[in-house]
Amino acid sequence: MSKNMFTVLLMSIGINFLLAQQTPGGIESSPKTNTPDTAVDLKNVTVSGKVVEKDTGQPLEYATISFYSRRANKVITGGITNEQGEFSIRVQQGVYDVRIEFIAFKTITLENRDIQSNENIGVFALEIDAESLDEVEIIAERTTVEIKLDKKIYNVGRDLTVRGGTVSDVLDNVPSVSVDVEGNVSLRGNDDVRILINGKPSGLVGLNSTDALRQLPAESIERVEVITSPSARYDAEGSAGILNIILRRSKLQGLNGAITISGGHPTAAGVSGNINFRYGDLNVFNTSSYNYREVPGNSFTDTEFFNGDDPSTFITEEREFDRLRKSFSTNTGVEWYVNETSSLTASLVYRDSDNESNTTNILDEFDGSGGLINRTLRFDPENEDDKTVQYSLNYDKQFGGDSQHKLTVDFQFEDSQETELSLIEQDGIDVEDVSTIENQDRILLQADYVKPIGANGQFELGYRGNFLDLDTDYMVLFSEDGNNFELSTDLSNNLLFSQDVNAFYSQYGNKLGEKFSYLFGLRMENTRISINQVTSNDLEKKNYTQLFPTVNLGLELSEDETLTLGFNRRIRRPRSRFINPFPSRSSATNLFQGNPDLDPSLSSAFDLGYLRRLGKLTLNGSVYFQHATDVFNFVSLDSGDTAIVGGTEVPVIIRTPVNLATNDRYGGEITATFRPNRVFNINANFNLFQSITRGDYEGQNFDAENLSWFARLNAKYTLPGEIDWQTRLFYRGPSETAQSKNKGIFSTDLAFSKDLFKDKASLAFRVSDIFNSRKRQSESFTPTFNSDSEFQWRQRSFNLSFTYRFNQKKQRERNGRNGGGDDDLEFEG
């Protein structure tokens, strides 16, 4: 990790603390000052005032003042009050509806206020809103849900079990989503999930999304959009659906932000911060983090190889993983409000991670009676360096003073580099020198036009182009004496992979009466793929065009009851690793080999959703069905080759993806939220899904039926002293494929949190996997071998984090009055 990157982060944090002393809500040093400096543009004036509680006369800190322009149909600017309840906000001359709001208090609105000069608009006494008080408390204590026609939005809220954690931890606590022990993300049990950040592929994810999600701080997330029935605006990639991670960004006038410092065991330390500064028509934002984590893990495999009429060979393989993860990431940008109808945003993402992984592999070979024949000690020290730079430009133009009639244009360029180096030692001798160098360039071009039609109708038309070029240089050298290395032409290769996807889409939505909503869309995608195996001089090209219709329907049965129905067609394209025919080595006896003949898998899915509110109980469920063709399945095969281990020939097993014929997946899920009183609430999520696979490969039948499920329970209780206590239980049921069985996995997380310094800071302590039980245990069986294995990626961990917020309300207050659940059946892209 570059020392300069760490120095920049420390300087940024220092500047944040110095700037934090500025007054919220404006740029003046004193909110009582009404006389502008003579250098201020005459088009901008200062509006000041004060907000107090009506019954006590006490000032209300963090009350929100917003200036809404009816002409522009949007909030132009806003600010918050300081500790004295005072505010001072710069605003362009004009006529506004001025709203003064505070959580659990009735809103005051000054309609059509003509503001032409510097003005003190007075003292506002807000009255407590008794009817919304209980609702506000619910907002304060739970993750909230908003229902759209084509998505569900989960606001992260005050989830204690992810404090000081990573984005991967956040996703593992989102209903419908699960993260396995290796960090792979699944949606309703399907791992083909498209992960976006702010609606686009992002450099924050980089080449390896699993590792990247484990390194990004949880504090950077505002909300997660779970899109199980994507509309035509979204890429058709991802048969399970889309997870869209929205990062924090404020648009309030003045300076605001937050800083989090964390540490834990196994050794972990991190610092992250987000800061926003808006002055007039410019908004500058930045989110940065540095993390240092030690991640020990282990695995064990016991394999029996069948030798025909001869006695079987038994091999046990035990691995210990000592991993070190060091990462720095920053996302910074400037948003310029050119005028009332257009804005321009430029941003830069930089990510630099330096990872070390030392794997100790002990391989024992036994005879049929259990006697030890050979023992081999293999040590694999791997160093990995990842760097990503992403440049983005966004233009937003509104027409006719209507914020819904708009054109948005996006350009994004990303350059990612990943280098993996390892010198493998076996029985004290250097035997393998392995290097993988990857360079990836990705360009995104996008344009979306939206036009309202009538009172509730909306027409949308757009284009998106994704252009990917990936250069993978994989080299393996062997040595028999530890000094002289020879290049293996059977394993080494250089793969040039390119994938261009051009897409056009259109969709139309409207309402019939007050209850029924619909959104129809059609997307066309043309895909061009080039697979150039430089080493073997093999070149393969593929070109295919597909149509992807989408239908989303919604019916409001009552204010507390809604019904949705969605249909969509999706595609799963093979990644470059899946089609690279040259093997990559996890050990001397286990190889992964891609399949260049792998075709994309197409699927069609139906989703029926239901939302019901019963007083303090909220139920949200759905049933779904998906039919897929040419599905990807990983099969384990005897390669026919052997490896010399301890002087003995051992069969080499290859794991490779193939297109099996069909897969039918159907299931149901339900999420329940219940809050009997203000100090206790509980949230439960249950998913049950059945997968039926039919197919044959090389004369072997791979038909399989797998019924699996997972359940998640979150309970939160406020202890005396305003200490929040949260417990999370998770269980993934057993599963089965044609060649393997996986046992169930149970894990428990525990967390405590206390707000300090008048709610400006929070101290949180959490324990992940209390019983150290988050392990994958599986059995594999083929005609030539059977094996039992156990894998634990991360052991039980402890974390302590401290968060300080300046000029920024707590998360529970930022959600506002509607945070408890917006079930309006709106349609969005």
Side-chain angles (χ1 to χ4, degrees), residues 687-702:
N687 266 266
L688 176 70
F689 42 90
Q690 170 87 9
S691 176
I692 302 174
T693 301
R694 295 287 182 262
D696 296 274
Y697 182 74
E698 293 188 350
Q700 182 177 349
N701 183 265
F702 284 88

Side-chain angles (χ1 to χ4, degrees), residues 5 49 168 212 271-272 324 428 434 491 511 566 584 595 684 692 761 786 806:
M5 291 297 102
S168 184
V271 56
S272 63
L324 175 60
V434 182
L491 296 176
K511 267 191 172 184
S584 60
N595 177 7
I692 302 174
N786 288 343
F806 52 91

Side-chain angles (χ1 to χ4, degrees), residues 168 178-185 209-211 213-214 791 793:
S168 184
S178 61
V179 182
D180 67 16
V181 295
E182 293 179 296
N184 300 308
V185 180
S209 61
T210 299
D211 284 343
L213 294 176
R214 283 170 167 164
F791 178 81
W793 191 88

Side-chain angles (χ1 to χ4, degrees), residues 705-771:
E705 295 188 14
N706 175 33
L707 177 66
S708 188
W709 57 277
F710 68 84
R712 179 187 289 107
L713 179 69
N714 266 299
K716 193 172 182 182
Y717 183 78
T718 302
L719 300 169
E722 297 297 318
I723 298 175
D724 292 329
W725 167 27
Q726 183 175 338
T727 300
R728 172 183 176 271
L729 306 177
F730 179 83
Y731 181 77
R732 182 198 301 273
S735 61
E736 184 175 347
T737 68
Q739 285 190 324
S740 66
K741 292 182 179 180
N742 295 303
K743 295 182 179 180
I745 300 175
F746 173 77
S747 65
T748 304
D749 300 333
L750 185 69
F752 297 90
S753 177
K754 169 67 176 175
D755 290 328
L756 306 169
F757 309 133
K758 297 182 180 180
D759 294 342
K760 291 183 178 179
S762 300
L763 184 67
F765 173 74
R766 68 181 175 92
V767 184
S768 297
D769 195 11
I770 295 176
F771 304 110

Side-chain angles (χ1 to χ4, degrees), residues 459-511:
F459 171 77
E460 189 168 342
L461 183 71
Y463 162 82
R464 174 180 284 201
N466 289 292
F467 308 98
L468 171 68
D469 290 297
L470 177 63
D471 183 348
T472 303
D473 194 355
Y474 180 66
M475 294 181 60
V476 180
L477 295 90
F478 290 107
S479 174
E480 296 182 356
D481 57 10
N483 296 315
N484 300 309
F485 287 84
E486 293 185 5
L487 180 69
S488 171
T489 55
D490 293 331
L491 296 176
S492 302
N493 88 305
N494 181 209
L495 175 69
L496 301 180
F497 173 80
S498 68
Q499 178 176 283
D500 297 340
V501 180
N502 288 279
F504 296 89
Y505 80 92
S506 180
Q507 61 184 24
Y508 176 74
N510 208 333
K511 267 191 172 184

Side-chain angles (χ1 to χ4, degrees), residues 580-616:
N580 190 346
F582 283 79
S584 60
R585 299 163 65 84
S586 58
S587 74
T589 58
N590 290 277
L591 306 180
F592 177 88
Q593 183 172 351
N595 177 7
D597 294 326
L598 203 62
D599 293 320
S601 174
L602 293 169
S603 62
S604 298
F606 294 88
D607 187 294
L608 178 65
Y610 178 73
L611 176 69
R612 182 75 166 101
R613 290 189 176 90
L614 300 167
K616 296 180 179 181

